[in-house]
Amino acid sequence: MDHLRDKRILLGVSGGIAAYKAPELVRRMRDAGADVRVVLTPAAARFVSTLSLEVVSEHPVGVDLWAPSQDSRIVHTDVGKDADLIVLAPATADLIARIRHGLADDLLATTVMACRTPVLVCPSMNNEMLGNPFVRENLAALEADPRYTLLQPGVGLLACGVHGPGRLPDPPEIIEAAAAVLTPKTLAGVRVTLSAGPTREAVDPVRFLTNHSTGSMGFALARAFAAAGAEVTLVAGPVSLRTPVGVAQRLDVTSAADLHAAVAATWDQTDVLVMTAAVADLRPATVAAHKVKKSELGAGMSLPLERTVDVLAAMSARPDRAGKALVGFAAETRDVERYAREKLAAKGLDWIVANDVSTEGVGFGPGDNAVLLLGADGEARPFARAPKERLATELVATLAPSLARRFGRDG
Ligand code: CTP
């Protein structure tokens, strides 16, 4: 995905074991559209080769503060200033301390200090080091400075053999965080609750009814809303997707009734409700306490069903609905615009995003989508087939001015 299209990134690598992941990170950043330059600390150069990084970045790699520059420019001031973003990954306790205390004793620390370029700090270290009070203090100081954004380290198996916090997040997460730093915060202060994925309606303890939704469009939208500065609560059906960077809260649900309860519980703190979830419309009328045996099914083998709650319609019917914006999704296989317009009106929505799930390669699952955005004010805007991540960014950018006017911090 081209999250970093036309961006200039300076990747600063310090001397932790996770430095070995730097070439892969450079490759992924370039795949995401960025031009990447790399500066290593001397300690990082013991973990990863400058040659590998020169080959994958297609640029010279800086390590030595005292190396003469080819055109006699003062390289360490230019390389940071010329970047849109500095990413420090991994950022060791030592590098974090030096930056926090204004030390400029190697090329990387000097580069960071000699410019005002925003910095994404990706701390990665042993879990005891991460918990050390002085390290915590240094991290808190960086976090309090608007120039720096921290990406929390992951929990996992660390190089020292312990399981705990301190792991460098994988490249897609770092890239997502980098893109978020570079996205204007047009939706700051706007509280978005977004549902995504399918629901499961139990038949008995081992069986359920569900649908093809994977949650990929909803998770892409949650990422895009969070990147634009919205405070996002993600209500997720059963999916196997990582929580997007910047999402404030994730509530995992299983059935339509659970999803309704979660959306209703967050309603008072919601400005915008976006329902991308493929909520099951039907559920078994009774849930068997024990696994139903084939022999018990009877000759007709029929499963009595009942309607689930229409979450969107139920929220739209609430007396305080006027103070909120509601966005629905409509998955159709024919007469897409007509059916979507009917749902927009019937459910009292501000917008509906319609997609034709019968088109090959579009709709369910990761990959592409093509949608039509319809507004209650008559707006009709098609979005041509594109990867879901890009489409999500475009949809949020389209909705943002109106949402910011109504609910934004400055609104
Ligand atoms: N929706 C909901 N609760 C349901 C069913 C749907 O909140 N029980 C929401 C979906 O999240 C979506 C919108 O309503 O935002 C439209 O969903 P869709 O399944 O396309 O439409 P339905 O209203 O279920 O109509 P139909 O199945 O007849 O097409």
Side-chain angles (χ1 to χ4, degrees), residues 183-194:
T183 306
K185 304 295 171 239
T186 48
L187 291 176
V190 181
R191 299 167 303 172
V192 175
T193 297
L194 190 146

Side-chain angles (χ1 to χ4, degrees), residues 195 275-281 308-313 327-332 343 347:
S195 71
M275 288 286 296
T276 68
V279 187
D281 290 313
T308 58
V309 59
D310 186 320
V311 182
L312 203 41
V327 185
F329 270 66
E332 306 291 349
K343 283 179 194 172
K347 300 197 188 195

Side-chain angles (χ1 to χ4, degrees), residues 158-249:
L158 307 176
C160 46
V162 205
H163 193 275
R167 207 179 149 272
L168 183 69
D170 290 332
E173 206 174 328
I174 296 175
I175 289 167
E176 217 175 283
V181 174
L182 292 167
T183 306
K185 304 295 171 239
T186 48
L187 291 176
V190 181
R191 299 167 303 172
V192 175
T193 297
L194 190 146
S195 71
T199 65
R200 282 180 187 168
E201 309 303 325
V203 174
D204 64 22
V206 295
R207 303 182 180 96
F208 53 81
L209 305 180
T210 190
N211 55 60
H212 287 298
S213 171
T214 60
S216 48
M217 189 67 212
F219 273 58
L221 273 167
R223 178 205 49 78
F225 273 112
E231 193 184 307
V232 178
T233 296
L234 175 59
V235 180
V239 294
S240 50
L241 295 174
R242 167 176 65 73
T243 306
V245 169
V247 164
Q249 186 184 200

